[in-house]
Structures are given as C-alpha cells and as structure tokens.
Amino acid sequence: MLPAHSLIAYALAFLPGDVFPLHADRCVAPEPSSSAWSAKLTASDCSLDSTVPGPLWQPATLRRIPVVVHVLADSSCTNVNIPDALVHSQIAVLNEDFRALAGSPGGAGVDSKIEFFLATVDPSGNPSTGIKRYCNTTWYQDQGSYWLSIAWDPTRYLNIYTNSAGGSRGYVPFLPADPAGAIGQPQDRVVINWLAFGRPGPVSPYHHGRTVTHEVGHYLGLFHTYYAGCGTATAPGCYTTGDRICDTPPNATSHKGCTAGITSCGGVPVPIQNYMELTDDACMTGFSAEQVQRMRCTLATYRPDLAQ
Ligand SMILES: [Zn+2]
C-alpha cells in the first residue's frame, strides 16, 4: 500500500488541475455515537441501536429500486466527464455487488435480492433515461441546497448525485432512522465524488464503482464495520455493539489498501473484503448474510415505498 502522500501525488499526476480529495476516510457518512441518537429510535429489527436478524429478513423476494443519477458539473459543463455508458456501468456494478453475481468481482458476497435500475419514468410519469445533467458551479462544489429543486421523490427513487462530494469520495447525509422524518425528504440522497464513480472510474484505486456500493449500503442502514470499535465479539452482544452485526468480525478502525492478513481487536482478521470497510475497490467482494438482512429490514421498515 502506498502512503497517502504518494496516492495524492498519483492522483494529481493522473488528473492535472483537478484535486482528488483522498481523505483518510472514503466516506463522510455520519457516525452516530451519542445517546442522543438512541433516544430517537423507534423499535424495529434494524434500529440504530440493534439488529435482529431473522427469517423475516431473509432475501426471499426480489426488490427492484429505481434510481435517478443527477450529474452535477460546473457552470462550464466541461469539468465532469460522465458519459451515459459510465452511469450504466455503475448500475451494473451495484447489481453485481448486491446480487453477488457469480463470476463478477462481488460474486463472493451474499445475494441480497435487491436490484437497481435507472428509472424509466420521472415523477410526473414522463419517459426518462434516469440520468439528469446540470451545469452549476455551486452545485458541483456540493454547496447550495440543490436537492430542493431537483430531487425526485425520495420515497420512490434512490437519488444519486455526482459532484465533488464536499471533498470526500462520497457520503449519505444521514443514516436511516436519524433524524426522525428525514427519510423521504428532498435531502435524502447519496452523493458520490465523480472521480470515484463508474467502472472504470477515472482514479485508481477507487475505479471499480465500489464507493457507490458502500454508500448505498449506508443508505440501506449499514454502519461501517468499524463503527463504535470492536464491540462484543459474540452473540447476542454483537447485535447491539460495534456495527450491530455479528457475522462481520470486530474491527477497531478503518483500513486502506488491500493488505491481507492484517488483524484488529486482539488478532481478529480485518474484513478487508467487506463493502462497509474503506479498503481499495479491488479487494472488496461482498456483504455478509446479516448485513443483507439488515438492509432488507431497512428497506421494509424505513423505505417501504422505494422498491418495486
Ligand atoms: Zn461510509
């Protein structure tokens, strides 16, 4: 693994004039850690506090989520290069990863039976490609409440925006259930740095589209595997500590690169292959069975009108 300054140098060399913000973290999704979060919870099998995996959340039926991708370039319309084909490649990556498609890079994961497709009709019922383009420097800089004027009904569509993502590789503004009532509001969205979007994306090692897989994991209720540190290693405590998931190993902190054999939390192998770590795209291969159940629960509990 290259040190961070080498990665930045590489990115700058790769894209002269464009600063790819290789922060220490891939993602700036919020990390709820206070009791204030807990106080807002409603009882469910996939609350901020706990996961209750069970037969109800097994991936039995196919759920298909319509997606609109809003491509936000600056006012010159020239600084972002995301042709339609690259958007299609990103949807293909999502489906490979969430369906654990045999033979694909995500084939080692668990099939969530959740699929994604570019919306074919807009909220008014008019035919659409599911791709919208805007040229607005403020929006490209991830400033201004652009979602208020261009979001498609977030209760019925997954809204993905590509821009500079506020200097991160991507984020969701909140996790399901907090703050209460935020789901389905215009700000309910997934934001991706265009430099980490699509396959092949423009900048290695985040060029296989896994930033979107990771952020959609948050959007469907998953924490980072290292959320809240090691937590309790065994059931039932591991459902209410750490990442609230027992079949992901305890993990103290985020990791970069693809270093096999690294350990955390007293010698436990780091899940470098899990989409909810921060490792390079190339070594990510799957969600766990209980992560899949938590996402299925989130979809049913918090986003009941989203999937078809
Ligand atoms: Zn994240």
Side-chain angles (χ1 to χ4, degrees), residues 205-290:
Y206 312 115
H207 56 313
H208 296 309
R210 261 54 191 281
T211 299
V212 180
T213 301
H214 174 103
E215 298 304 334
V216 174
H218 285 313
Y219 174 85
L220 294 176
L222 298 186
F223 297 123
H224 292 137
T225 58
Y226 52 88
Y227 168 69
C230 299
T232 304
T234 54
C238 43
Y239 291 121
T240 56
T241 61
D243 66 352
R244 320 304 196 231
I245 298 286
C246 285
D247 67 358
T248 57
N251 189 9
T253 187
S254 65
H255 298 79
K256 297 176 75 71
C258 286
T259 309
I262 51 174
T263 61
S264 183
C265 298
V268 179
V270 169
I272 62 168
Q273 79 291 347
N274 195 284
Y275 295 134
M276 300 317 291
E277 243 283 4
L278 293 190
T279 45
D280 292 352
D281 279 10
C283 54
M284 290 183 158
T285 57
F287 292 115
S288 74
E290 289 177 356

Side-chain angles (χ1 to χ4, degrees), residues 43-62:
S44 81
D45 289 347
C46 45
S47 70
L48 292 174
D49 266 359
S50 67
T51 299
V52 184
L56 190 58
W57 310 119
Q58 294 286 357
T61 53
L62 183 65

Side-chain angles (χ1 to χ4, degrees), residues 7 59 68 83 85 94 102 129 133 141 147 149 183 204 219 224 232 253:
L7 287 169
V68 55
L94 278 176
T129 62
R133 298 179 182 280
Q141 293 171 341
W147 50 89
S149 48
I183 281 184
S204 172
Y219 174 85
H224 292 137
T232 304
T253 187

